[in-house]
Amino acid sequence: MAEKRPDGIEDYAGPAGGWDALRATAEALVHEKIVIQGSLALLKSNQPDGFDCPGCAWPDPKHTSSFEFCENGAKAVTWESTAKRVGPEFFEEHTVSELWTWSDYQLEGKGRLTHPMIYDRSTDKYAPITWDEAFAVVGKKLNELPDPNMAEFYTSGRASNEAAFLYQLFVRAYGTNNFPDCSNLCHEATSVGLPASIGVGKATVVLEDFDHCDAIFSFGHNPGTNHPRMMTTLYDASRRGVPIIVFNPLKERSLEKFAAPQNPVEMVTLSSTPIASAYHQVRSGGDVAALKGIMKRVAELDRENLEGGGDGLLDRSFIDTHTEGFAALLEDLAKTDWESITKKSGLTREAIDSAALVYVRSERVIVCYGMGITQHRNGTSNVQQLANLLMMRGNMGKPGAGICPLRGHSNVQGDRTVGITEVPNKALLDGMEKAFGFRPPAEKGHNAVEAIDAIIAGRSKALICLGGNLAVAMSDPGKVFEGMRRLELAVHLSTKLNRSHLLIAEQSLILPVLGRTDLDIQESGRQSVTVEDSTCMVHASRGFLNPPSEHLRSEPAIIAGLAKATLGDRYGIDWNGMVSDYDRVRDKIEIVFPDFWDFNQRIRQPGGFHLDIPASRREWRTANGKANFLIASGLEEDPRLYQPDIITLTTVRSHDQYNTTVYGLNDRYRGVFGRRDVVFMHADDLAERGLSDGSKVDIVAAPDEGEDESTTRVVAGFTAVEYNIARGSAAGYFPEMNGLVALTHFDRKSGTPSYKATPVRIRAAS
Ligand SMILES: Nc1nc2c(c(=O)[nH]1)N[C@H]1C(S)=C(S)[C@@H](COP(=O)(O)OP(=O)(O)OC[C@H]3O[C@@H](n4cnc5c(=O)[nH]c(N)nc54)[C@H](O)[C@@H]3O)O[C@H]1N2
Ligand SMILES: Nc1nc2c(c(=O)[nH]1)N[C@H]1C(S)=C(S)[C@@H](COP(=O)(O)OP(=O)(O)OC[C@H]3O[C@@H](n4cnc5c(=O)[nH]c(N)nc54)[C@H](O)[C@@H]3O)O[C@H]1N2
Ligand SMILES: [Mo]
């Protein structure tokens, strides 16, 4: 490594957490000018009568704990409860063309939206509009479309269960199942992969299981940044002597060592606790090879044990009673050779053997995983290989063991549970008919990739977004931006200004909403909403801060306004009644989804309640009534990744960002300060290309299917940073790198874009 690192790049020596985290939290408060209201807000985060932290979906100890410190939760809360405002005066001062030249950071950094706004072409500015006029514009346009399937209804995962339920009711009564959802860009591989394996697309563990496990296997997630409250869980497990086996191409500091801000000794002595007991730097896209390797080794160890007179190392009684497909799996593993496994995974035989050994020595194993597993062309198969590994030793449906997908947005899981899906099943349709007296459409609607295709092709004319920043979150923004600018109607229910709002359609509206931390008062008084965390716990969330403006409305109220303006009194749905008291929304949710029995009573008990997960008691709601071992074909998600001059680019979140929201330009744990225009590379990959730490580079995407070498997806003039990352893999930030990902580069089974494995060439900047 060069003695002098590139500008803004340092070797970060400290642990994750610790004093730096406390300092960063204080700075976030000061930056958003909310030292008093904001600090109060933090104390209400994830408390029994407080709001659910909008930061992530990690569960809380019964939602009754004393304040659990979380730097990035604090950033999410302060970002929302900022004292800064974006009102009509702001829009009067800036044309949309001017705002387009601002960075995403500058756009959101201006503060909370306060008034409903409509775009005025004659001035190129957004101008205020009344709520009733705004609803009328949307209703008129939706009714003019020749077919409801020409409208797309996006959901981002912050919406509460109540908002999401009313939204799907509105959209289904209008007549379509076009529900592109941020989950399609995130854990769809889980939602598609796990039901085939175990009959449910969610975690089979609850938080308490982590107190009883003997080993944790962690694949492709970065909890110090994205699920910081999980660090307490990993820290406690590590201190209990539980091996934590990590598979990640990048050395992530929080998975190496962590200093708990609640531990006075560590804080005063500047010491920390190691997290990973073994850190395997798998190649990006190499997980399926690594997993087949571990399973192959487990099968070998089992045979050796049997031959030596032992009882074997597999849970044969579980396999015989509960599963199907094991013999075929063994056959597939037997014909997979070690040379391919080590080459494709980038791991040595010793590394794979050691992981297998920890696995067979542990009675109860939990597998945790994030985007490093799902955002691949073979994301669904990846997820299913994790389930296979667990099932080999019966680690499914017993205390201290199971699968734990780390969900993204704080209520992305709940939104799906209450009906945001483009493929409604019979139970959902029956439930809707029972609750509202009409039968919604049954044909499959659009997921995110399909919705964008339809918009680009001009087949879809209207886009309504319940939160999010879809245009920036998607692959290939160049194409997406162009498509969205040809829409006839674009409507954004948002807390803050973002680039998607600036993609002007024939008619564009911004409808500002109350956030999670804001007080929500309706006719019957102060309202609570509900959310579901990563481990299927449902609980109430109540904001308490004075809203940023008296003009804001809650998401349920705005959805009801849109619905009334569009549907009139079609089907006699009592929109006003449900908005006046969210208990009535929950009564309807309970009719449609019987798992929410006694919903209103059960969310009033501290900690809420757990939704039934049949697989966690070994009941398999699959087509054959069994848990299924499902085989991944081959070891490669994309043969292009192994061509000699190609490098696999993965995209990650920095420590100062929430998806497309960039809070700041630092990524402390990776040693990056004041910039994001970097690409992390292995020293040998740099040298092989005649590059070194600090070289200016261009990153050029390899052509995707159906494209030729004239493809022009390029990110130019970035700085290469030498980093501890697997050979053959490079990493850059989302969304800066999204221009390199083709819209056709996604998992065919789930539609999840392969943001974690794009074949690129990296060369000196021209
Ligand atoms: N503060 C904060 N919190 C968040 C978010 C945020 O942006 N900021 N986003 C929320 C959302 S929507 C989500 S989905 C989650 C995301 O949470 P994560 O899944 O932790 O998110 P990523 O940053 O995408 O990180 C993925 C990790 O996978 C690793 N990785 C990359 N490619 C591969 C691979 O091929 N194999 C393996 N094994 N590992 C790989 C990366 O090095 C990185 O450590 O976090 C949620 N929480
Ligand atoms: N290259 C690459 N691309 C990715 C990913 C990746 O890892 N790599 N990750 C993907 C993943 S996992 C996801 S989930 C998507 C994220 O995609 P989205 O969910 O679409 O994006 P966000 O950036 O979370 O949305 C931020 C906006 O949401 C609005 N907002 C915030 N809070 C609220 C609220 O309470 N209510 C409402 N109505 N609006 C609110 C604000 O206006 C803010 O500007 O991006 C995906 N894109
Ligand atoms: Mo996500």
Side-chain angles (χ1 to χ4, degrees):
M1 203 167 299
E3 256 168 41
K4 180 167 176 338
R5 304 292 323 261
D7 287 344
I9 306 299
E10 290 169 20
D11 298 311
Y12 185 75
W19 288 106
D20 283 353
L22 287 180
R23 195 173 306 123
T25 309
E27 282 166 9
L29 285 164
V30 174
H31 187 255
E32 295 307 314
K33 304 188 176 141
I34 42 170
V35 176
I36 301 200
Q37 240 204 337
S39 333
L40 279 174
L42 292 186
L43 296 173
K44 284 267 188 185
S45 164
N46 290 350
Q47 294 305 300
D49 72 334
F51 57 87
D52 181 71
C53 179
C56 77
W58 187 249
D60 275 289
K62 285 266 168 224
H63 240 60
T64 52
S65 68
S66 59
F67 174 59
E68 197 173 1
F69 173 81
C70 172
E71 174 192 342
N72 279 357
K75 285 185 204 154
V77 168
T78 56
W79 192 252
E80 182 173 295
S81 53
T82 178
K84 303 177 193 170
R85 300 286 176 266
V86 171
E89 322 72 50
F90 172 88
F91 287 106
E92 183 47 43
E93 282 165 27
H94 306 285
T95 62
V96 165
S97 312
E98 182 208 334
L99 292 173
W100 183 258
T101 64
W102 292 21
S103 68
D104 297 302
Y105 171 63
Q106 288 170 313
L107 290 174
E108 276 219 22
K110 284 296 161 193
R112 288 286 297 274
L113 295 159
T114 58
H115 287 66
M117 306 294 293
I118 188 165
Y119 179 71
D120 179 351
R121 202 163 298 276
S122 67
T123 57
D124 185 30
K125 289 175 185 170
Y126 270 103
I129 183 174
T130 67
W131 282 105
D132 284 343
E133 285 166 338
F135 296 150
V137 169
V138 180
K140 180 163 181 290
K141 182 75 228 174
L142 288 178
N143 283 319
E144 279 167 10
L145 290 180
D147 179 350
N149 293 313
M150 293 168 79
E152 305 289 347
F153 295 86
Y154 179 68
T155 313
S156 168
R158 276 211 188 156
S160 63
N161 288 336
E162 289 72 12
F165 180 78
L166 290 181
Y167 191 58
Q168 65 85 37
L169 172 61
F170 159 44
V171 174
R172 294 202 157 96
Y174 170 64
T176 182
N177 282 313
N178 285 347
F179 286 109
D181 172 16
C182 76
S183 182
N184 298 145
L185 313 178
C186 181
H187 262 294
E188 195 66 17
T190 299
S191 306
V192 170
L194 284 187
S197 292
I198 58 168
V200 61
K202 301 183 182 184
T204 64
V205 297
V206 291
L207 196 52
E208 289 70 41
D209 284 311
F210 285 85
D211 298 336
H212 305 292
C213 67
D214 303 320
I216 297 172
F217 280 62
S218 142
F219 285 85
H221 66 111
N222 183 21
T225 290
N226 297 316
H227 301 91
R229 284 176 297 112
M230 185 191 195
M231 292 313 303
T232 311
T233 308
L234 293 176
Y235 173 93
D236 290 346
S238 168
R239 299 206 131 204
R240 203 156 59 72
V242 170
I244 299 175
I245 313 296
V246 171
F247 292 82
N248 195 313
L250 275 79
K251 272 280 171 78
E252 302 285 26
R253 180 50 44 90
S254 72
L255 291 167
E256 296 182 285
K257 51 182 174 173
F258 180 70
Q262 280 96 339
N263 180 324
V265 176
E266 284 186 352
M267 291 301 276
V268 171
T269 61
L270 300 181
S271 59
S272 62
T273 297
I275 298 296
S277 50
Y279 206 119
H280 302 300
Q281 289 182 273
V282 63
R283 275 183 71 120
S284 282
D287 297 274
V288 79
L291 281 158
K292 281 197 182 183
I294 301 169
M295 290 190 285
K296 186 177 170 79
R297 184 63 191 150
V298 169
E300 286 174 4
L301 291 170
D302 171 66
R303 237 180 359 259
E304 286 164 22
N305 178 284
L306 286 173
E307 281 160 13
D311 296 331
L313 299 173
L314 304 179
D315 187 341
R316 290 201 157 67
S317 123
F318 175 82
I319 292 171
D320 294 343
T321 325
H322 288 283
T323 72
E324 225 166 70
F326 188 58
L329 177 78
L330 284 184
E331 217 174 284
D332 177 66
L333 295 174
K335 67 172 198 251
T336 311
D337 64 278
W338 278 114
E339 202 190 318
S340 310
I341 289 173
T342 51
K343 175 166 181 252
K344 301 280 151 80
S345 65
L347 299 177
T348 61
R349 260 307 289 274
E350 294 70 50
I352 293 173
D353 287 359
S354 74
L357 209 56
V358 173
Y359 181 68
V360 298
R361 282 182 180 157
S362 311
E363 269 319 299
R364 297 167 218 275
V365 178
I366 294 177
V367 169
C368 304
Y369 68 97
M371 298 298 101
I373 285 290
T374 59
Q375 292 176 332
H376 287 283
R377 283 180 92 105
N378 63 347
T380 301
S381 286
N382 266 345
V383 169
Q384 292 171 340
Q385 301 323 296
L386 297 174
N388 287 350
L389 175 65
L390 285 168
M391 293 189 308
M392 284 177 98
R393 285 181 43 80
N395 279 307
M396 202 65 98
K398 71 178 180 191
I403 195 150
C404 184
L406 291 151
R407 293 284 166 170
H409 269 296
S410 53
N411 196 40
V412 57
Q413 185 163 318
D415 293 346
R416 301 303 298 265
T417 304
V418 299
I420 302 295
T421 169
E422 73 280 7
V423 273
N425 59 22
K426 185 170 175 304
L428 171 60
L429 298 173
D430 290 347
M432 290 290 285
E433 191 168 6
K434 187 168 164 206
F436 298 103
F438 75 99
R439 185 108 191 141
E443 68 272 19
K444 183 191 167 303
H446 292 155
N447 65 20
V449 167
E450 292 158 349
I452 293 296
D453 282 349
I455 289 172
I456 290 174
R459 282 181 277 117
S460 285
K461 305 286 187 196
L463 172 68
I464 318 283
C465 292
L466 178 54
N469 187 5
L470 175 60
V472 178
M474 267 320 283
S475 321
D476 208 346
K479 282 201 180 142
V480 175
F481 291 178
E482 222 183 284
M484 288 200 182
R485 287 194 166 115
R486 286 198 303 267
L487 285 165
E488 292 175 12
L489 176 70
V491 184
H492 298 278
L493 283 69
S494 300
T495 50
K496 291 206 168 180
L497 185 61
N498 66 46
R499 192 164 303 281
S500 294
H501 306 159
L502 306 179
L503 293 162
I504 297 300
E506 245 166 61
Q507 288 177 304
S508 285
L509 293 112
I510 304 173
L511 306 180
V513 303
L514 293 176
R516 197 65 76 69
T517 55
D518 298 324
L519 195 59
D520 180 355
I521 295 182
Q522 305 293 344
E523 224 173 279
S524 67
R526 184 179 165 195
Q527 303 297 311
S528 297
V529 293
T530 61
V531 293
E532 176 182 343
D533 69 31
S534 257
T535 60
C536 318
M537 293 294 301
V538 178
H539 50 76
S541 170
R542 244 161 169 341
F544 78 105
L545 296 178
N546 288 325
S549 143
E550 57 184 1
H551 302 284
L552 292 188
R553 293 198 182 172
S554 74
E555 290 174 331
I558 298 170
I559 293 161
L562 293 169
K564 284 185 289 179
T566 309
L567 307 171
D569 61 4
R570 193 184 299 176
Y571 307 132
I573 298 165
D574 182 14
W575 296 104
N576 292 344
M578 288 192 284
V579 172
S580 69
D581 182 352
Y582 297 172
D583 274 5
R584 295 191 190 144
V585 182
R586 288 185 282 269
D587 286 340
K588 292 290 188 187
I589 293 179
E590 178 175 340
I591 299 176
V592 181
F593 304 101
D595 281 349
F596 285 87
W597 54 272
D598 285 350
F599 195 3
N600 277 310
Q601 288 75 14
R602 287 197 293 162
I603 54 145
R604 286 179 165 82
Q605 68 202 22
F609 61 93
H610 185 244
L611 280 175
D612 181 44
I613 300 297
S616 69
R617 46 190 161 73
R618 297 194 166 176
E619 189 188 313
W620 319 104
R621 303 252 172 108
T622 52
N624 59 0
K626 297 273 184 185
N628 291 301
F629 287 96
L630 298 168
I631 297 168
S633 68
L635 297 176
E636 300 177 337
E637 68 174 279
D638 183 341
R640 293 175 300 164
L641 298 178
Y642 298 91
Q643 288 168 14
D645 60 335
I646 291 283
I647 203 158
T648 305
L649 179 79
T650 188
T651 56
V652 295
R653 292 155 168 78
S654 83
H655 195 61
D656 272 1
Q657 118 181 46
Y658 197 94
N659 297 340
T660 69
T661 299
V662 176
Y663 305 126
L665 299 178
N666 298 343
D667 189 8
R668 190 171 76 239
Y669 298 149
R670 298 195 186 105
V672 179
F673 298 92
R675 61 190 301 185
R676 292 170 58 87
D677 56 344
V678 295
V679 55
F680 302 104
M681 292 176 72
H682 189 280
D684 295 346
D685 285 321
L686 284 170
E688 209 177 77
R689 288 162 179 76
L691 303 169
S692 55
D693 192 29
S695 293
K696 280 264 181 279
V697 295
D698 293 343
I699 310 163
V700 185
D704 209 65
E705 277 155 41
E707 297 176 331
D708 57 28
E709 291 292 335
S710 65
T711 316
T712 51
R713 276 189 302 277
V714 180
V715 165
F718 270 41
T719 296
V721 168
E722 186 181 326
Y723 200 79
N724 193 342
I725 182 172
R727 191 73 210 280
S729 309
Y733 295 120
F734 146 50
E736 280 80 351
M737 295 291 177
N738 286 33
L740 293 165
V741 187
L743 280 165
T744 44
H745 191 47
F746 62 86
D747 176 20
R748 292 299 178 267
K749 291 183 183 149
S750 68
T752 315
S754 180
Y755 295 125
K756 294 292 188 268
T758 301
V760 299
R761 297 185 171 88
I762 301 180
R763 57 184 188 218
S766 54

